[in-house]
């Protein structure tokens, strides 16, 4: 029996499972593309030879002033697309992360909606907001959007669904089965699924038919990612099919993915899971690999539709082989592979794709409660148009908070230790909290501050305390 016949035989079980779950032929073909690579021993690694450093890129600050006007002219054909498939499970939240309060009672979703409505009012243009939801986030998100009936645009749905795919047993490469909780047999295919999901859902053709051509795509937990007219003008005026916003890497970004250039000169994205273990030190060299992907992307829908049609619905993005326990909450459960792709890796697919180096302010994601605390604080100001800006005292660099995961990992636990809300961080460079520390009201943090509670002893910071460049051990 040939390798092809063996792979086809092994895949038959996956195809039956996916068909019974109602998945489309297009998505089954996409999953087959990656499964065949897995069976053939693909690791998804991209070596140094195929990921060479990028020396220089166009800068946001160098964009011509005329591009602002070009952006205004292109605005009527633009829309905002947010990835909203994630739950806040790593932060102890059962529901969509987008429904977490960020500024007072306003959630990520509230602020994003209001940003779009403010743009519409300012330019008198019908800019759609479209969400890519998952089966975990859709119902709760759409209920929340009922508070904004004015958001709907005739003929353009508010959302479309990302796919789900079967997990693969590591040992046998067969479909994972988990009768104790069959839902755990499935996983999201990574945000690279946005492309087949746009096509499968009909959203791609709906938007094109309605006259929309320019998609600004970003993560729902990144409130720095707002539709920028200068970048839109640059994108539209130069007829770029795919544009990635990148930022300069800092020591905090060492372990994240980076932009690189393939041996044939194309820009590509290399995620940490795609780095060969022996190249890890070089991968983390922020002076060698200078740029990271903010996951703020600009996509020309016509170029996407033509490319998908030419490739029969399979873009062929680089594989990310993600190994995990089948039950993410129990590391002792058997191991599976999740076959994933990254949305940004499409930069290597589109002929003429480009990248632009943007200010760090366009990248303010919330992955942990430490990030959320900074966003909640006065280090970030919510403007009239619901964009965020750093306080002048921050000098363009947000403070860094590091909270002890033993006490602050879960959202409710973090809230309980900041009952009066976040301390003032506008004059803070860094805040490190070790141990069980509860903050009183109107606490101010300035400079670099470390707070450490004695092991096993809760510490309370009194109301009105000012913490400056010192380690606080006082209790009250």
């Amino acid at each position: 029996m040939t390798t092809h016949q063996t792979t086809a035989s092994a895949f038959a079980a996956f195809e039956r499972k996916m068909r019974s779950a109602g998945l489309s032929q297009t998505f089954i073909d996409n999953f087959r593309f990656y499964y065949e690579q897995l069976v053939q021993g693909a690791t998804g690694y991209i070596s140094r030879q195929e990921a060479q450093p990028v020396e220089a890129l166009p800068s946001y600050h160098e964009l011509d002033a005329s591009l602002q006007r070009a952006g205004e002219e292109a605005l009527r054909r633009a829309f905002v697309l947010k990835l909203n498939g994630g739950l806040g499970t790593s932060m102890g939240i059962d529901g969509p992360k987008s429904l977490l309060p960020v500024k007072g009672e306003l959630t990520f979703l509230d602020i994003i909606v209001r940003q779009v409505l403010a743009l519409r009012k300012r330019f008198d243009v019908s800019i759609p907001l479209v969400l890519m939801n998952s089966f975990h986030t859709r119902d709760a998100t759409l209920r929340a959007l009922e508070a904004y009936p004015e958001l709907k645009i005739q003929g353009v749905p508010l959302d479309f669904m990302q796919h789900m795919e079967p997990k693969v047993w590591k040992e046998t490469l067969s479909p994972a089965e988990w009768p104790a909780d069959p839902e755990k047999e499935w996983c999201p295919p990574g945000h690279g699924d946005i492309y087949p999901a746009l096509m499968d859902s009909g959203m791609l053709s709906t938007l094109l038919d309605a006259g929309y051509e320019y998609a600004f795509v970003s993560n729902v937990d990144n409130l720095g990612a707002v539709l920028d007219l200068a970048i839109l003008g640059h994108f539209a005026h130069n007829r770029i099919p795919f544009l990635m916003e990148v930022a300069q890497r800092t020591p905090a970004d060492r372990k994240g993915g980076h932009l690189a250039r393939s041996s044939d000169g194309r820009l590509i994205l290399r995620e940490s899971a795609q780095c060969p273990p022996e190249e890890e030190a070089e991968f983390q060299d922020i002076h060698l690999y200078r740029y990271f992907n903010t996951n703020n992307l600009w996509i020309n829908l016509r170029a996407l539709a033509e490319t998908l049609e030419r490739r029969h619905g399979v873009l062929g993005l680089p594989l990310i082989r993600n190994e995990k326990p089948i039950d993410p909450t129990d590391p002792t459960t058997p191991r599976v592979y999740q076959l994933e792709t990254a949305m940004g890796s499409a930069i290597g697919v589109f002929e003429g794709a480009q990248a632009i180096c943007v200010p760090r302010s366009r990248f303010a994601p919330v992955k942990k409660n430490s990030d959320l605390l900074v966003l909640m604080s006065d280090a970030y100001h919510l403007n009239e148009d619901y964009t965020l800006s750093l306080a002048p005292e921050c000098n363009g660099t947000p403070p860094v908070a590091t909270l002890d995961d033993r006490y602050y990992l879960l959202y409710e636990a973090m809230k309980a230790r900041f009952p009066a809300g976040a301390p003032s961080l506008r004059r803070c460079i860094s805040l490190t909290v070790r141990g069980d520390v509860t903050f009183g009201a109107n606490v101010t943090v300035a400079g670099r501050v470390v707070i450490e509670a004695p092991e096993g002893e809760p510490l309370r910071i009194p109301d009105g305390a000012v913490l400056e460049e010192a380690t606080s051990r006082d209790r009250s």
Side-chain angles (χ1 to χ4, degrees):
M1 184 178 291
T2 66
T3 302
H4 177 75
Q5 289 171 320
T6 304
T7 303
S9 175
F11 189 76
F14 286 99
E15 187 156 9
R16 287 193 296 271
K17 183 168 186 168
M18 295 174 79
R19 286 195 187 283
S20 65
L23 292 165
S24 71
Q25 186 60 51
T26 297
F27 185 66
I28 292 171
D29 291 344
N30 271 271
F31 185 77
R32 185 198 304 266
F33 177 83
Y34 298 106
Y35 180 74
E36 288 177 349
Q37 293 181 45
L38 180 71
V39 170
Q40 292 163 12
T43 61
Y45 292 153
I46 302 174
S47 70
R48 166 73 158 84
Q49 186 177 356
E50 278 301 314
Q52 298 168 12
V54 176
E55 296 301 325
L57 288 172
S59 167
Y60 176 84
H61 298 295
E62 297 169 354
L63 293 178
D64 191 276
S66 65
L67 292 174
Q68 182 87 9
R69 179 59 185 162
E72 291 179 23
E73 293 174 355
L75 200 54
R76 62 184 176 81
R77 290 177 286 159
F79 68 99
V80 174
L81 199 167
K82 294 286 182 178
L83 305 186
N84 187 51
L87 299 175
T89 48
S90 63
M91 298 164 68
I93 303 298
D94 291 332
K97 186 194 283 190
S98 59
L99 301 186
L100 273 176
V102 181
K103 284 294 187 185
E105 297 300 312
L106 294 180
T107 66
F108 287 102
L109 190 65
D110 288 323
I111 293 172
I112 288 166
V113 168
R114 295 178 188 208
Q115 287 173 349
V116 170
L117 293 177
L119 262 177
R120 289 185 189 176
K121 182 178 180 181
R122 179 183 173 190
F123 293 101
D124 192 26
V125 175
S126 297
I127 305 165
L129 171 63
V130 176
L131 303 176
M132 183 170 82
N133 280 317
S134 67
F135 55 88
H136 289 302
T137 63
R138 187 181 202 195
D139 291 345
T141 300
L142 292 182
R143 281 196 302 272
L145 287 179
E146 290 173 3
Y148 299 97
E150 69 274 33
L151 184 66
K152 294 181 180 177
I153 290 179
Q154 185 69 32
V156 179
L158 290 172
D159 80 324
F160 63 102
M161 289 281 283
Q162 72 177 55
H163 294 106
M164 59 180 187
E165 67 179 17
K167 295 178 182 178
V168 183
W169 285 130
K170 178 184 176 181
E171 293 300 323
T172 63
L173 302 187
S174 59
E177 296 182 5
W178 202 243
D181 187 354
E183 203 172 90
K184 289 187 169 60
E185 299 174 6
W186 299 85
C187 63
H191 42 61
D193 181 52
I194 186 174
Y195 307 111
L198 271 169
M199 185 175 71
D200 261 358
S201 64
M203 182 63 80
L204 180 58
S205 57
T206 295
L207 287 163
L208 282 169
D209 290 346
Y212 296 103
E213 188 172 349
Y214 308 125
F216 173 55
V217 186
S218 60
N219 293 334
V220 78
D221 66 2
N222 179 12
L223 293 178
V226 294
L227 194 154
D228 183 275
L229 291 176
I231 301 177
L232 173 59
H234 170 68
F235 177 68
H237 177 75
N238 293 297
R239 299 182 181 179
I240 302 169
F242 184 99
L243 180 68
M244 174 186 289
E245 294 185 28
V246 300
Q248 292 274 1
R249 291 173 90 197
T250 69
D253 311 307
R254 286 186 306 111
K255 296 185 179 180
H258 58 69
L259 189 70
R261 199 174 291 279
S262 67
S263 57
D264 63 3
R266 291 175 297 115
L267 290 172
I268 62 171
L269 177 66
R270 182 166 66 158
E271 301 285 1
S272 55
Q274 295 171 308
C275 173
E278 66 275 12
E279 296 182 14
E280 187 173 337
E282 193 176 62
F283 179 92
Q284 294 186 17
D285 185 338
I286 64 172
H287 303 291
L288 184 65
Y289 293 102
R290 298 171 53 193
Y291 305 103
F292 74 90
N293 171 28
T294 65
N295 233 27
N296 301 347
L297 305 176
W298 299 79
I299 304 167
N300 183 299
L301 291 195
R302 297 197 184 282
L304 175 61
E306 290 166 4
T307 304
L308 282 168
E309 183 178 3
R310 188 168 64 251
R311 296 182 174 225
H312 307 289
V314 181
L315 280 187
L317 306 180
L319 167 69
I320 300 174
R321 190 189 70 179
N322 205 342
E323 183 184 331
K324 292 187 176 183
I326 188 168
D327 183 348
T329 66
D330 184 357
T332 66
T333 53
R335 310 294 286 182
V336 295
Y337 288 132
Q338 296 181 188
L339 308 186
E340 302 177 6
T341 57
M343 175 174 74
S345 65
I347 195 169
V349 171
F350 289 91
E351 189 70 33
Q354 297 183 25
I356 184 170
C357 188
V358 299
R360 188 83 183 204
S361 58
R362 292 187 58 77
F363 183 69
V366 171
K367 302 306 177 189
K368 300 181 68 173
N369 284 319
S370 302
D371 306 320
L372 182 60
L373 182 73
V374 174
L375 206 56
M376 291 167 59
S377 79
D378 60 359
Y380 281 97
H381 174 69
L382 192 61
N383 302 312
E384 284 188 12
D385 60 359
Y386 293 92
T387 58
L388 290 176
S389 59
L390 276 173
E393 295 91 334
C394 293
N395 294 317
T397 303
V400 176
T402 306
L403 304 178
D404 193 326
D405 280 347
R406 295 176 298 169
Y407 302 98
Y408 301 89
L409 181 65
L410 304 181
Y411 176 71
E412 291 300 328
M414 187 271 285
K415 267 207 333 178
R417 288 168 174 81
F418 294 95
S424 173
L425 298 178
R426 59 193 302 132
R427 293 191 295 122
C428 173
I429 297 172
S430 64
L431 169 64
T432 302
V433 180
R434 302 187 186 115
D436 187 358
V437 182
T438 298
F439 285 69
N442 301 314
V443 174
T444 298
V445 183
R448 295 178 175 85
V449 173
V450 178
I451 305 168
E452 188 166 358
E455 191 64 35
E457 295 185 38
L459 172 68
R460 187 181 188 279
I461 306 299
D463 294 352
V466 178
L467 309 174
E468 294 184 279
E469 295 281 341
T471 300
S472 174
R473 296 176 184 270
D474 299 330
R475 286 199 297 148
S476 60

